[in-house]
Amino acid sequence: MDLTGGVALITGGAGGLGEAAVRRLTAAGAGVVIADLSDDKAAKLADELGERAVYVRTDVTDEASVQAAVEAARELGTLRWAVAAHGGFGVAERVVGRTLEPAALKGFTKTIDLYLTGTYNVLRLAAAEIGASDPDGDGQRGAVVMTASIAAFEGQIGQSAYAAAKAGVVGLTLAAARDLGALGIRVVTIAPGTMRTPIMESVGEEALARFSAAVPNPRRLGRPEEYAALVQHVFENDYLNGEVVRLDGAQRFQPK
C-alpha cells in the first residue's frame, strides 16, 4: 500500500521508537498524528514536520483520549495505519523478593494497563476508523503495527510484569489479524531487542557497551531508525499479516 496521502496515528510518537516512525512515515508522504503525553517534545516535533503532522495529547489507557487522536487523524485525511509504540513505565521486581515479600500488585496492573490494555485500546479504535475507509484494488484498507519485546519470549529476573504484558501483545497479534481480515486490515507486531533509545542512552557508555556485547550480530544496540524502517515495510507489504517479527540482532535475553 502506497503511503502517500494516507494518515498514520503513532502512540509514543515523541519517544525513541515512535519518533523514528513519525519521521520515516512523513518522509514517505504520510500524514501523522503524534499521540503522546510529552507536550513540549511532541509539539516541537509537529512544528518541525509541518502541516502534515499534528500533536494530540493522548493517554492510551483512556478511551476518550485515544478517540480524540483518531478524530484528529480524520482532519488530516484518511486514517490507514496505526503504530502502538508507547512506553515510559516499568517495574523491576521479583514475584517474591529475597525477604519473602510479594511483589506489589499495583506495579503489575499498571504495567498491563499501559502496554497491553493501552495497545488493545489503540488497536480497536484505530481499526474501527480504518475499517470505514474505502479499500484499494486489492481489498486493503490499512494496517496496525503493535510493539512487543523479546522479553515476551525470554523475560528476565524482575521482568514478570513487563514480560507478561508484552507476551499479551504477542498473543493478540494473530487473533486480531483474523478478526480484522474481513475489513482488509492487517496486524503485525514488532518485538525489539535492546534498542538505543534516549532512555537507554541515559544508562551511560559503560552499560551500553555491556549490553551491546550480548548481541551476536551486529554487535551493537538496535537503532530506532531500523524499527521505523520495518514499520514502513510492514505498511507497504500487503502480505505481511498476523506475524511477530523479532528485531534483535539474534539476541536472546539471559536470566539477568
Side-chain angles (χ1 to χ4, degrees):
M1 181 173 277
D2 185 5
L3 296 179
T4 305
V7 177
L9 187 159
I10 303 171
T11 64
L17 301 182
E19 180 183 351
V22 164
R23 292 185 180 279
R24 180 92 183 196
L25 296 177
T26 53
V32 295
V33 173
I34 304 167
D36 208 300
L37 293 172
S38 300
D39 293 328
D40 292 343
K41 187 175 181 182
K44 182 179 179 181
L45 178 60
D47 288 344
E48 176 191 338
L49 295 175
E51 61 182 13
R52 291 292 288 163
V54 61
Y55 166 53
V56 180
R57 182 175 176 82
T58 306
D59 176 356
V60 297
T61 66
D62 181 80
E63 180 172 5
S65 185
V66 175
Q67 187 59 44
V70 169
E71 291 168 4
R74 195 181 302 153
E75 296 297 315
L76 281 178
T78 302
L79 183 64
R80 294 287 188 186
W81 311 284
V83 182
H86 54 270
F89 173 80
V91 292
E93 194 171 24
R94 294 174 186 246
V95 176
V96 176
R98 289 190 173 89
T99 61
L100 299 184
E101 184 73 18
L105 184 60
K106 184 177 180 180
F108 185 88
T109 56
K110 186 174 180 180
T111 303
I112 296 294
D113 283 347
L114 177 62
Y115 291 106
L116 179 55
T117 306
T119 295
Y120 183 74
N121 197 28
V122 172
L123 169 69
R124 69 187 187 92
L125 294 175
E129 180 72 13
I130 295 167
S133 64
D134 293 330
D136 65 12
D138 202 27
Q140 296 300 299
R141 289 186 168 90
V144 177
V145 167
M146 305 187 297
T147 307
S149 164
I150 63 171
F153 309 102
E154 303 115 28
Q156 296 181 295
I157 291 171
Q159 280 190 328
S160 57
Y162 184 73
K166 293 301 189 177
V169 174
V170 168
L172 177 60
T173 305
L174 181 58
R178 288 171 166 171
D179 277 359
L180 297 172
L183 295 175
I185 301 172
R186 296 177 295 109
V187 181
V188 172
T189 291
I190 298 174
T194 310
M195 307 296 285
R196 191 169 182 134
T197 62
I199 291 177
M200 180 58 70
E201 287 182 339
S202 68
V203 303
E205 290 300 325
E206 183 177 338
L208 289 174
R210 186 170 66 252
F211 296 150
S212 296
V215 183
N217 183 40
R219 190 150 291 188
R220 59 169 173 79
L221 302 190
R223 298 172 180 141
E225 294 79 12
E226 291 167 325
Y227 170 91
L230 183 52
V231 168
Q232 181 177 352
H233 181 72
V234 169
F235 288 164
E236 293 178 333
N237 188 333
D238 289 347
Y239 215 59
L240 269 174
N241 192 19
E243 187 56 89
V244 178
V245 183
R246 293 182 65 127
L247 185 68
D248 60 13
Q251 182 181 15
R252 299 296 182 267
F253 279 157
Q254 298 305 305
K256 60 182 178 179

